[in-house]
Amino acid sequence: ADLGEPTSSADPAVDPAVVDALRAARRVLVLSGAGMSAESGVPTFRDAQSGLWERFDPSSLATQEAWDDDPPFVWAWYAWRAALLRRVEPHAGHRAVADLARLRDVEVVTQNVDDLHERAGSRVLSHVHGSLLSFRCRDCATPWQGELAVPDEPVERLDPPTCPACGGDVRPGVVWFGEEMPRDAWDAAVGAVERLDVGDVVLVAGTSGLVYPAAGLPAMALGQGAVVVEVNPQPSDVSDLCHHHVRDGAATALPALVA
Ligand code: BV8
Ligand code: ZN
């Protein structure tokens, strides 16, 4: 490309009305899902998981039952996912969210258990489904801060660490299907929605809108009179309640929206 040409950050999928809404908003709430991490190389729940686990539906692995049935098998999956985070970087979409916070009152609520928003400079108000990088004893809940031992190649089974306080198995600090979300995380997310006013903007980025109660947040935001914008290359289960749809990847759409 001719170096003299300013690269336009305009994204054909971005409706100027959305850019205007963002400019007019006092507050912006970002609700992100696995699609927000996709362009950083973290597989979404819809994508096939890595080779070893591709025959398993993640929502069957991310359960207390799967863990109780075979802790080393489920621990190996989480250890591989946590290790993957060390090899990936936030993308321009994560950085755009962090940049926006310099111009607007931005709150980030994510279903993601990775730290990509934080590494791009955002403060995340709530990880409603917990974090892949926090661990605790499954019996006495003592936090475990040990060094995660993970082989370079995915392995099917890996013994979880044992709790220094009671010898119980250490588990990942994520919320499993069928588990209640941490009260403070959910209350923080709902609080962010309740702070929205007419004209504020909600960016629903990279979620299929299938997992409840998190998937109910966009509808609650709509009830506050916010402008709800979906950033997702595909339609989702919350598309119908969004005022605008930016049918592009988050790494392209968000920088164009914030430009
Ligand atoms: C609860 C952490 C109850 C774990 C996750 C039967 C029994 C028990 C519960 C239920 C049940 N039936 C239904 C339920 C409720 C259940 C639920 O909703 N199930 C669904 C499947 C129907 N919910 C729960 O269990 C929740 N807890 O209800 O507790 C309770 C209540 C009181 C008392 C006791 C118990 C807890 C759910 C939390 C589960 N944990 N994560 C881990 O990571 O291992 S959920 C996990 O999956 C993610 O965190 C995320 O939330 C979800 C995946 O959804 P998305 O983020 O939307 O990602 P997805 O892959 O689906 O889609 C990606 C999207 O991105 C797509 O739309 C795609 O188009 C888009 N995309 C792709 N590329 C890009 C992109 N977008 C932008 N840019 C791109 N480049
Ligand atoms: Zn313990």
Side-chain angles (χ1 to χ4, degrees):
D2 170 352
L3 292 182
E5 279 300 304
T7 47
S8 98
S9 64
D11 173 338
V14 171
D15 173 349
V18 178
V19 178
D20 293 347
L22 270 174
R23 286 209 179 108
R26 197 177 36 80
R27 176 172 300 192
V28 178
L29 172 62
V30 175
L31 299 175
S32 62
M36 183 76 206
S37 304
E39 286 150 299
S40 288
V42 179
T44 70
F45 276 65
R46 271 35 14 239
D47 296 338
Q49 298 292 308
S50 144
L52 285 180
W53 294 282
E54 64 184 353
R55 60 191 189 284
F56 294 94
D57 173 352
S59 52
S60 66
L61 277 178
T63 63
Q64 186 74 57
E65 293 74 28
W67 171 270
D68 291 343
D69 179 44
D70 188 351
F73 184 73
V74 176
W75 174 261
W77 181 51
Y78 279 99
W80 174 75
R81 289 171 62 195
L84 176 68
L85 284 191
R86 293 181 187 153
R87 297 200 297 273
V88 299
E89 294 296 325
H91 53 58
H94 294 106
R95 289 193 293 277
V97 169
D99 291 345
L100 184 63
R102 281 201 277 275
L103 309 167
R104 294 281 175 283
D105 180 357
V106 173
E107 299 196 287
V108 177
V109 168
T110 187
Q111 297 171 76
N112 299 338
V113 292
D114 61 51
D115 60 346
L116 291 170
H117 277 301
E118 289 89 340
R119 285 166 52 193
S122 287
R123 192 179 63 78
V124 170
L125 178 73
S126 174
H127 279 271
V128 290
H129 294 154
S131 164
L132 205 43
L133 301 174
S134 73
F135 303 93
R136 65 174 186 272
C137 173
R138 60 148 304 175
D139 296 331
C140 74
T142 302
W144 179 78
Q145 259 97 16
E147 181 53 35
L148 193 64
V150 189
D152 294 341
E153 289 309 309
V155 288
E156 278 228 341
R157 298 164 64 76
L158 205 54
D159 284 335
T162 49
C163 165
C166 78
D169 280 343
V170 167
R171 59 157 287 178
V174 299
V175 179
W176 281 327
F177 286 95
E179 265 189 329
E180 261 204 275
M181 290 171 286
R183 190 87 233 143
D184 54 343
W186 181 244
D187 289 351
V190 173
V193 171
E194 285 168 349
R195 280 192 289 279
L196 291 167
D197 255 335
V198 173
D200 289 343
V201 170
V202 178
L203 297 175
V204 183
T207 183
S208 56
L210 292 172
V211 177
Y212 280 86
L217 291 169
M220 291 162 68
L222 193 68
Q224 297 287 114
V227 176
V228 185
V229 180
E230 176 169 61
V231 176
N232 191 331
Q234 308 294 329
S236 75
D237 263 41
V238 291
S239 293
D240 291 350
L241 57 84
C242 296
H243 297 103
H244 302 282
H245 307 89
V246 182
R247 289 284 173 245
D248 203 348
T252 310
L254 290 169
L257 279 174
V258 172

